[in-house]
Amino acid sequence: MAKDGGPDWNGLLKWSLAHGDGTNPPRALSEEDRKWFMEAMQANTVDVVKRMKEITQVMRTPEDVLESQGVTPENIEEMLDELQEHVESIDMANDLHSIGGLDPLLGYLKNSHAGIRAKAAEVVSTIVQNNPKGQQLVMESNGLEPLLTNFKSDPSTSARTKALGAISSLIRHNQPGISAFRLGNGYSGLKDALGSDDARLQRKALNLIQYLLHNNKADRSVATELGFPKLMMHLTSSDDSLVREAALSGLLELAQDKTSGNTLPDQDKLKDILKSRIEGISTMDADDLHAAREERQLVDSLWKECYNEPSSLREKGLVVLPGEDAPQQPPPDVAGKMFEPPLRAWAAARPAPKDDSDSGNEKKDAPPLLLGPGPTSNSN
């Protein structure tokens, strides 16, 4: 095994090469070789579970006890960074509940430090993303309630944004979660988010709104009553290109609703807004035009949907530029085939934070120093 307690990857590689180069049939393993190989492959699993139990012990420790032992909020955030890496494996994400770590993690959503609240929401988002079992466990632990509270009223914009990201992952393809979101007055929170000054919060809100409206047609009347169309019209002039695209997508989703005869309000104002966007697009250079491909297509589609005619972008040849007819296919997911979870989570480095990360601090290489033994069992 490696000195740091992880698997001896170099040793495993040498062992693999020594026992087969792909040209000869594999030979039978000796009992000693088999034992060494199994121990090497299983050791990291045991270490991860052990580490998650240690983190769980820290999360269960009262805040004043941690402070008395010299643990800072920054230490806790680093610890949650490590936990997030572990729960990227769905198996480990679901195991967190089994070892008693989910409830104290959700408790961190109510922590007095905004950075810890934000980081805890980020870990929850990782647990529930594309994980129906994880969604169920968080819902059964009443995890949506503190997320909604933080999203709607947290004084920290970072914590609000991270809470919304976790909510979005929690309720996608999760009908009970969507129903609970409605009952928790989540749509009013989305309205407030659209009116904020933070582009990241606006983007996340717009993306969730489009998902909800696309999958729940009855909610379109609610969105109209709350004034979403007017807010989206305003955001189509945002300086943030992704906000503009998301706002246009939301308007197009509403405009395509023909079931009840509804139309977008302020059609004349919308036409003026789209004309302004067309003028802006017409003055773009080649690089900006390629970057704005989605926006160009959305403006044209929305114009056609609302006014039953193609936009002037089409006349100018700016809807689809030469060479854009066939969208490029993404490269094959070689890594996904070679490193299935949980091996992928162990062997691959964690991706760099996305551009909507709320912290500019670089991640430390060394794991956070955890505590010694926590409070004794008789402390209760």
Side-chain angles (χ1 to χ4, degrees), residues 293-307:
R293 176 181 179 177
E294 183 70 18
E295 182 178 359
R296 290 183 279 121
Q297 294 177 340
L298 286 168
V299 168
D300 181 70
S301 297
L302 185 56
W303 185 285
K304 185 176 181 180
E305 192 69 43
C306 292
Y307 310 112

Side-chain angles (χ1 to χ4, degrees), residues 9-260:
W9 295 112
N10 288 332
L12 286 172
L13 177 59
K14 292 178 181 178
W15 184 92
S16 177
L17 293 174
H19 286 79
D21 59 4
T23 59
N24 298 314
R27 65 177 178 82
L29 299 180
S30 68
E31 188 60 32
E32 182 179 358
D33 283 343
R34 187 185 303 276
K35 181 179 179 181
W36 179 88
F37 179 78
M38 294 305 297
E39 288 178 353
M41 293 303 297
Q42 294 175 3
N44 196 51
T45 305
V46 174
D47 287 347
V48 170
V49 173
K50 180 181 178 182
R51 188 63 171 167
M52 287 171 58
K53 288 181 178 179
E54 291 172 347
I55 293 174
T56 295
Q57 182 182 7
V58 176
M59 292 193 296
R60 287 174 172 172
T61 304
E63 188 173 350
D64 58 340
V65 175
L66 294 177
E67 291 178 354
S68 69
Q69 298 186 19
V71 178
T72 67
E74 290 74 19
N75 294 146
I76 299 299
E77 290 180 44
E78 291 171 7
M79 181 190 72
L80 292 174
D81 271 329
E82 181 188 352
L83 179 61
Q84 186 175 4
E85 291 184 354
H86 297 323
V87 299
E88 283 181 336
S89 161
I90 288 181
D91 291 337
M92 294 301 170
N94 296 337
D95 282 347
L96 183 64
H97 173 71
S98 302
I99 63 177
L102 182 58
D103 286 339
L105 172 64
L106 296 176
Y108 269 167
L109 294 170
K110 303 176 182 179
N111 193 273
S112 59
H113 297 279
I116 294 178
R117 295 194 301 271
K119 181 54 65 176
E122 203 169 359
V123 178
V124 173
S125 181
T126 301
I127 290 173
V128 300
Q129 188 172 20
N130 300 320
N131 182 6
K133 179 63 175 179
Q135 290 176 331
Q136 179 185 353
L137 292 173
V138 171
M139 292 295 297
E140 291 175 350
S141 298
N142 297 319
L144 180 59
E145 182 179 350
L147 288 172
L148 277 172
T149 299
N150 291 0
F151 163 50
K152 293 189 292 184
S153 60
D154 200 298
S156 165
T157 302
S158 170
R160 286 185 68 192
T161 304
K162 296 299 184 182
L164 177 55
I167 290 170
S168 180
S169 295
L170 177 60
I171 69 176
R172 284 178 185 268
H173 311 294
N174 175 9
Q175 194 57 47
I178 293 175
S179 299
F181 178 80
R182 288 200 203 97
L183 292 174
N185 211 16
Y187 273 103
S188 67
L190 290 173
K191 179 180 179 180
D192 291 340
L194 292 185
S196 74
D197 296 326
D198 189 89
R200 289 167 295 185
L201 184 59
Q202 292 171 342
R203 287 199 303 265
K204 288 183 181 292
L206 286 166
N207 289 333
L208 181 56
I209 288 169
Q210 184 181 2
Y211 170 81
L212 291 171
L213 297 182
H214 182 76
N215 291 277
N216 303 274
K217 309 299 183 184
D219 288 358
R220 297 183 180 188
S221 58
V222 176
T224 301
E225 292 173 6
L226 288 173
F228 282 15
K230 291 183 179 180
L231 289 168
M232 290 177 181
M233 288 181 194
H234 174 71
L235 292 176
T236 57
S237 301
S238 170
D239 293 334
D240 188 289
S241 62
L242 295 179
V243 170
R244 294 198 303 270
E245 290 178 8
L248 289 167
S249 294
L251 288 170
L252 182 59
E253 190 69 46
L254 289 171
Q256 291 172 338
D257 179 16
K258 307 300 184 184
T259 56
S260 57

Side-chain angles (χ1 to χ4, degrees), residues 332-357:
D333 184 13
V334 177
K337 296 179 180 179
M338 294 297 295
F339 297 100
E340 293 294 337
L343 283 179
R344 185 174 188 174
W346 302 338
R350 178 170 172 76
K354 295 182 180 178
D355 59 352
D356 65 347
S357 173

